[in-house]
RNA sequence: GGAGAAAUGGCAGAGUGGUCGAAUGCACUAGUCUUGAAAACUAGCGAGGGUCACACCUCCGGGGGUUCGAAUCCCUCUUUCUCCGCCA
């Protein structure tokens, strides 16, 4: 959520930014916000004056009662009765304009960083880096869902039986490989200075609002109606919400956390060949990194996170590329996002395995995540997060790229975690 | 799930209808002293809205009510603690 002060003072820059996103009706919605905000403030000061008056009168009444001048007191009481009516009306008007204002603010996405290219869809994302040789596979190389079956390491049908589509069962070396990846990622992140966290997997409404899943992406989360809780779509939600309603000291920065969690997504509206196998699941595992940063340092931190994810892919020896997302593909809450994609050789396509973003103050404003700056004032912090990494597609990439006629090899870096070097 | 108690500033903790945004202690910040540190002393020290700046307004777990006036009384929800039950 953008701050009102920012909107008031930067209307032109905001309109330009929203144009990069192809955000429709930007001008009218911004004008409406500015108008509603002005109304809100005049209502507020009107109300404040009335309250101030009635506070004064009440104090007077108190004094009069104490000195026994009951009649005088009763006279004043009549006046406060009128004031009370007026404040009631004003209070109602104030809360109405506040909620209308909030409804509008919830609709406005974050303003893109100047680096974000204009564009409508993923076609327009900029490839900024590419590394790793695409392996030449043997004759008859298979896509991962076939490999999973052949070596009996992932059972999609069994998942259908137990739960439904998109809930695979990992078995034997497949399960071990999953566990190895999780442990390797967590170790790697810890070594880079991230603190490991195990958060709850269900969150309440306030947390959903804090990171921006609510109100607009409600349909993407599984909802436990009886307790009004949501299954997390990513560890970003519980981890970032640790800092909801928190006032940090400048010396607390940087805050670097990492967490492994399963992630649950309804993926309503997804279909087709691209959702086959591990490509798109309702439940999957992911290791996430989350940082809370001083605004002056957040882009440095973003670069650091990108380099960190890079180093993981280098160690895994997977062919990958980095994209800078265009305005049309950029997430609602993000100012700048880099996507990492791994090349799936047997499918002959790139698979997104990580997304690293700077949200600047957009989440922090909702979260009320602030710090005391050097002038002693409260200022919104910047939040960032990234996947390091999302398991299923890494697994897909590993299975496909590391397949040989004799079996699927395990990358060297993972062997001490798996305890085996080939799946056969 | 049942019975009882409680929720106040970073922490501890006073405050039961007006002079309370709130005593006191600790922590923290600055200064004095010291070669430096500690101790001691002095001062400052919650958040949000609003304003050029003041003024002013709001906030004592959340929401609602009583009252001219609520941290204080009432209702309700949430959470915590103790006891009982069930249980990984």
């Amino acid at each position: 959520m953008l701050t009102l002060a920012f909107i008031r003072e930067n209307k032109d820059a905001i309109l330009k930014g929203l144009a990069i996103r192809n955000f429709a009706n930007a001008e009218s919605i911004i004008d409406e916000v500015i108008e509603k905000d002005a109304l809100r403030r005049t209502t507020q000061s009107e109300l404040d004056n009335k309250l101030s008056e009635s506070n004064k009168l009440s104090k007077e009444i108190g004094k009069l009662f104490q000195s026994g001048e009951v009649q005088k007191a009763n006279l004043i009481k009549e006046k406060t009765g009128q004031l009370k009516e007026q404040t009631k009306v004003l209070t109602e008007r104030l809360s109405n304009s506040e909620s209308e204002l909030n409804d509008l603010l919830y609709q406005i996405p974050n303003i893109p960083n100047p680096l974000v290219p204009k564009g409508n869809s993923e076609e327009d994302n900029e490839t900024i880096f590419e590394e790793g040789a695409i392996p030449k596979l043997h004759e008859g190389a298979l896509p991962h869902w076939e490999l999973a079956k052949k070596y009996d390491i992932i059972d999609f049908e069994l998942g259908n039986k137990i739960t439904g589509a998109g809930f695979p069962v990992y078995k034997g070396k497949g399960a071990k490989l999953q566990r190895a990846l999780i442990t390797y990622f967590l170790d790697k992140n810890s070594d880079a200075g991230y603190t490991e966290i195990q958060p709850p997997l269900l969150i309440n409404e306030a947390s959903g609002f804090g990171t921006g899943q609510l109100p607009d992406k409600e349909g993407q989360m599984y909802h436990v109606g009886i307790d009004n809780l949501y299954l997390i779509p990513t560890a970003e939600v519980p981890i970032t919400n640790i800092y909801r309603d928190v006032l940090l000291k400048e010396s607390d920065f940087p805050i670097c956390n990492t967490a492994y969690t399963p992630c649950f997504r309804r993926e309503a509206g997804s279909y087709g060949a691209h959702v086959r196998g591990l490509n798109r699941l309702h439940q999957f595992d992911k290791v996430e990194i989350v940082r809370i940063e001083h605004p002056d340092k957040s882009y440095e931190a973003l670069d650091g996170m990108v380099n960190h994810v890079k180093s993981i892919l280098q160690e895994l020896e997977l062919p990958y590329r980095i994209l800078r997302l265009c305005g049309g593909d950029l997430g609602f809450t993000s100012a700048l996002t880099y996507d990492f994609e791994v090349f799936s050789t047997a499918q002959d396509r790139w698979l997104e395995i990580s997304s690293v973003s700077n949200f600047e103050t957009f989440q922090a404003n909702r979260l009320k995540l602030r710090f005391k700056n050097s002038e002693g004032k409260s200022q919104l912090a910047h939040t960032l997060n990234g996947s390091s990494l999302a398991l299923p597609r890494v697994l897909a990439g590993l299975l496909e790229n590391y397949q040989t006629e004799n079996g699927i090899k395990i990358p060297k870096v993972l062997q001490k975690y798996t305890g085996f070097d080939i799946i056969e």
Side-chain angles (χ1 to χ4, degrees):
Chain A
M1 189 159 71
L2 300 176
T3 64
L4 283 165
F6 182 76
I7 293 176
R8 260 182 257 147
E9 286 154 27
N10 301 282
K11 186 182 158 186
D12 290 343
I14 289 172
L15 290 179
K16 264 186 208 163
L18 293 179
I20 299 283
R21 283 184 177 269
N22 312 308
F23 183 76
N25 302 327
E27 179 137 28
S28 71
I29 196 169
I30 296 295
D31 283 341
E32 203 180 340
V33 166
I34 292 172
E35 198 183 300
K36 287 252 156 71
D37 178 47
L39 178 69
R40 188 206 105 228
R41 277 183 299 160
T42 51
T43 310
Q44 169 107 58
S45 67
E46 225 178 303
L47 173 63
D48 285 356
N49 289 336
K50 297 287 180 205
L51 286 173
S52 167
E53 214 176 309
S54 88
N55 284 346
K56 261 183 224 148
L57 291 176
S58 293
K59 275 181 191 161
E60 231 171 281
I61 290 170
K63 276 181 201 150
L64 289 173
F65 269 123
Q66 271 167 358
S67 62
E69 299 173 79
V70 179
Q71 278 199 326
K72 267 192 184 176
N74 282 332
L75 261 166
I76 301 178
K77 266 196 193 181
E78 284 174 26
K79 269 200 234 173
T80 57
Q82 282 176 15
L83 279 172
K84 217 179 173 186
E85 285 301 309
Q86 292 170 325
T87 54
K88 205 175 170 188
V89 172
L90 286 168
T91 305
E92 203 164 303
R93 194 188 299 166
L94 182 66
S95 76
N96 283 343
S97 60
E98 271 171 356
S99 72
E100 283 169 27
L101 195 54
N102 265 328
D103 287 347
L104 287 174
L105 288 174
Y106 278 136
Q107 294 170 35
I108 304 172
N110 203 356
I111 301 306
N113 179 283
L115 285 172
V116 173
K118 197 165 167 47
N120 296 313
S121 68
E122 53 187 59
E123 318 269 296
D124 302 311
N125 294 334
E126 268 176 31
T127 303
I128 60 162
F129 188 82
E130 193 167 334
E131 189 178 29
I134 292 171
K136 262 245 167 261
L137 295 184
H138 60 275
E139 193 74 9
L142 298 170
H144 69 264
W145 52 88
E146 303 280 357
L147 293 167
K149 199 172 227 175
K150 179 173 170 187
Y151 296 104
D152 195 24
I153 50 176
I154 309 171
D155 196 328
F156 293 98
E157 273 101 64
L158 190 54
N160 287 345
K161 172 185 164 185
I162 299 169
T163 307
F167 293 91
V169 176
Y170 302 89
K171 302 198 289 196
K173 283 186 171 175
K176 283 194 192 300
L177 181 52
Q178 279 272 110
R179 184 153 58 86
L181 281 165
I182 291 164
T183 312
Y184 160 63
F185 293 152
L186 284 172
D187 283 356
K188 185 83 181 149
N189 296 347
S190 296
D191 289 347
Y194 292 88
T195 304
E196 190 173 333
I197 308 264
Q198 278 193 19
L201 305 181
L202 283 89
I203 51 134
N204 58 26
E205 258 182 340
S207 294
F209 273 96
T211 33
Q213 279 68 32
L214 295 174
D216 40 297
K217 285 186 234 157
E218 176 145 31
Q220 291 294 333
M221 288 190 288
Y222 287 97
H223 183 215
V224 183
I226 194 169
D227 293 307
N228 197 23
L229 297 172
Y230 295 87
L231 273 75
I232 57 168
T234 160
E236 166 198 341
V237 179
I239 299 296
T240 310
N241 271 284
I242 291 173
Y243 303 95
R244 172 154 49 86
D245 291 316
V246 166
L247 186 57
L248 296 165
K249 287 177 285 196
E250 237 173 9
S251 57
D252 292 331
F253 296 123
I255 293 174
C256 306
N257 290 322
T258 185
Y260 151 69
T261 67
C263 302
F264 305 91
R265 299 189 182 178
R266 296 188 61 233
E267 300 291 359
S270 301
Y271 59 90
H274 286 184
V275 305
R276 208 152 169 205
L278 294 170
N279 292 346
R280 193 175 291 278
L281 301 172
H282 288 306
Q283 178 183 326
F284 63 95
D285 293 310
K286 181 157 64 66
V287 175
E288 187 80 357
I289 46 180
V290 174
R291 295 177 67 147
I292 316 291
E293 290 284 344
H294 190 286
D296 294 346
K297 296 278 175 65
S298 69
Y299 279 96
E300 205 176 295
L302 184 68
D303 289 343
M305 290 164 79
V306 167
N307 284 328
H308 178 65
V309 174
K310 250 173 154 177
S311 75
I312 294 175
L313 288 163
Q314 283 162 352
E315 285 189 0
L316 288 174
E317 297 179 78
L318 283 169
Y320 71 97
R321 64 179 189 185
I322 304 175
L323 306 176
R324 187 185 284 133
L325 294 194
C326 73
D329 209 21
L330 191 64
F332 187 83
T333 51
S334 174
L336 181 61
T337 296
Y338 293 103
D339 270 10
F340 283 71
E341 297 185 333
V342 126
F343 194 73
S344 157
T345 309
Q347 294 183 74
D348 192 30
R349 56 185 282 247
W350 295 92
L351 298 176
E352 182 192 332
I353 47 153
S354 175
S355 192
V356 183
S357 304
N358 188 351
F359 304 96
E360 299 190 357
T361 60
F362 196 85
Q363 287 183 329
N365 188 30
R366 287 195 181 189
L367 292 162
K368 294 198 177 60
L369 162 51
R370 292 155 302 169
F371 67 98
K372 276 265 182 243
N373 65 21
S374 49
E375 291 162 12
K377 288 193 172 167
S378 298
Q379 188 182 342
L380 292 171
H382 281 193
T383 62
L384 304 94
N385 70 54
S387 358
S388 69
L389 294 160
L391 274 279
R393 295 183 193 157
V394 171
L395 195 58
L398 287 178
L399 297 180
E400 293 182 11
N401 286 302
Y402 276 87
Q403 64 180 303
T404 69
E405 279 163 324
N406 306 318
I408 298 158
K409 290 195 196 146
I410 302 297
K412 272 196 203 75
V413 71
L414 287 179
Q415 288 175 11
K416 71 168 174 177
Y417 292 102
T418 54
F420 52 86
D421 59 10
I422 192 162
I423 298 172
E424 39 189 5

